[in-house]
Amino acid sequence: MADINKIAQEFTNFYYQTFDTNRAQLEALYRPTSMLTFEGTQILGVKPIIEKLVNLPFQKVVHQVVTLDAQPSSTAMASLIVSVTGQLVVDDSTNPLHFSQVFQLIPEGPGYYVFNDIFRLNYG
Amino acid sequence: MADINKIAQEFTNFYYQTFDTNRAQLEALYRPTSMLTFEGTQILGVKPIIEKLVNLPFQKVVHQVVTLDAQPSSTAMASLIVSVTGQLVVDDSTNPLHFSQVFQLIPEGPGYYVFNDIFRLNYG
């Protein structure tokens, strides 16, 4: 499963780097059927998803991935599930927050798009 | 998505209740193509998965689900992704451990089986 781990690594590098620098650009990763569940709120489609992400109430955010796991999600196509746990720091906080995030990536042309995206903060 | 949330709720109730009382019986939920990634270790197939779970080094465990999210995982069939965060207590510890777990459930007859299962402890 070397390939799938490499894809997951490249995807999460790109995703969190883009999130932390200009999250409007994440638009390229979603499609009209894409779903985001953010802290229990269900959102469908590119524009609503990007609106949600862009309007999150912080200016600065830095994600740090702690664990990254990937598995093929289908026997019929090269889709994959990516499960991330990590920490994030918002604005000038010194308190990292723990988060869990799950993606399903669907192949499209030479790349992938995000079909499923589920994000949760983990409170201690 | 009322249905999908109900399925996810019933599945996780059954899964963790079975895990906490007789984890060998989880065998019924897996198939030869099922994958478990447990703390980064990748395991394929019913027997290896159950061996892993049965041989985990604790006698007693109690899972408590804190957040539960579900999304359809395919436009072609009624499969779903279930994302759980929660706490577990092993043996006589008084320290709950935080965990994240992701399942993909695939419809089969009147029920579902687990195709993907990714488990991680979240250390603070």
Side-chain angles (χ1 to χ4, degrees):
Chain A
M1 300 216 234
D3 265 354
I4 224 172
N5 292 329
K6 187 160 170 275
I7 294 163
Q9 181 80 62
E10 288 173 357
F11 168 76
T12 49
N13 286 350
F14 178 78
Y15 181 90
Y16 292 114
Q17 199 167 48
T18 306
F19 200 112
D20 295 353
T21 51
N22 183 353
R23 48 195 196 266
Q25 290 183 348
L26 292 173
E27 186 172 350
L29 296 177
Y30 296 94
R31 296 293 174 273
T33 53
S34 298
M35 290 162 274
L36 167 65
T37 305
F38 188 91
E39 288 287 275
T41 301
Q42 295 178 331
I43 301 159
L44 173 70
V46 186
K47 214 176 152 189
I49 289 173
I50 297 305
E51 273 176 15
K52 176 70 181 177
L53 297 181
V54 166
N55 290 313
L56 291 173
F58 47 76
Q59 299 302 310
K60 285 189 291 180
V61 58
V62 179
H63 290 77
Q64 192 195 344
V65 172
V66 175
T67 70
L68 176 59
D69 295 301
Q71 290 181 351
S73 63
S74 168
T75 53
M77 62 173 168
S79 55
L80 61 153
I81 289 177
V82 178
S83 178
V84 179
T85 72
Q87 300 189 341
L88 58 85
V89 175
V90 298
D91 292 331
D92 298 317
S93 170
T94 53
N95 250 5
L97 303 169
H98 296 269
F99 72 93
S100 302
Q101 193 159 10
V102 182
F103 303 95
Q104 186 183 198
L105 306 184
I106 306 286
E108 183 193 71
Y112 293 84
Y113 71 90
V114 175
F115 185 64
N116 300 100
D117 181 352
I118 300 175
F119 176 91
R120 278 282 181 183
L121 290 173
N122 307 137
Y123 296 99
Chain B
M1 301 216 234
D3 266 352
I4 223 173
N5 291 329
K6 188 161 168 275
I7 293 163
Q9 181 80 63
E10 288 174 356
F11 168 76
T12 49
N13 286 351
F14 178 78
Y15 181 89
Y16 292 114
Q17 200 168 48
T18 305
F19 199 112
D20 295 353
T21 51
N22 184 353
R23 48 195 195 267
Q25 289 184 348
L26 292 173
E27 186 172 349
L29 296 177
Y30 296 94
R31 296 293 174 272
T33 53
S34 299
M35 290 162 274
L36 167 65
T37 305
F38 188 91
E39 288 286 275
T41 302
Q42 295 178 330
I43 301 158
L44 174 70
V46 185
K47 214 177 152 189
I49 288 173
I50 296 306
E51 272 176 16
K52 176 69 181 176
L53 297 181
V54 166
N55 290 314
L56 290 172
F58 47 76
Q59 299 302 311
K60 284 189 294 179
V61 57
V62 179
H63 289 77
Q64 191 196 347
V65 172
V66 175
T67 70
L68 176 59
D69 295 301
Q71 290 182 351
S73 63
S74 167
T75 54
M77 63 173 166
S79 56
L80 61 154
I81 288 178
V82 178
S83 177
V84 178
T85 72
Q87 301 189 343
L88 58 85
V89 175
V90 297
D91 292 331
D92 298 317
S93 171
T94 54
N95 250 6
L97 303 169
H98 296 269
F99 73 92
S100 302
Q101 193 160 12
V102 182
F103 302 95
Q104 186 183 198
L105 307 183
I106 307 287
E108 184 192 71
Y112 292 84
Y113 70 91
V114 175
F115 185 65
N116 301 100
D117 181 353
I118 300 175
F119 176 91
R120 279 281 181 184
L121 291 174
N122 308 136
Y123 295 100

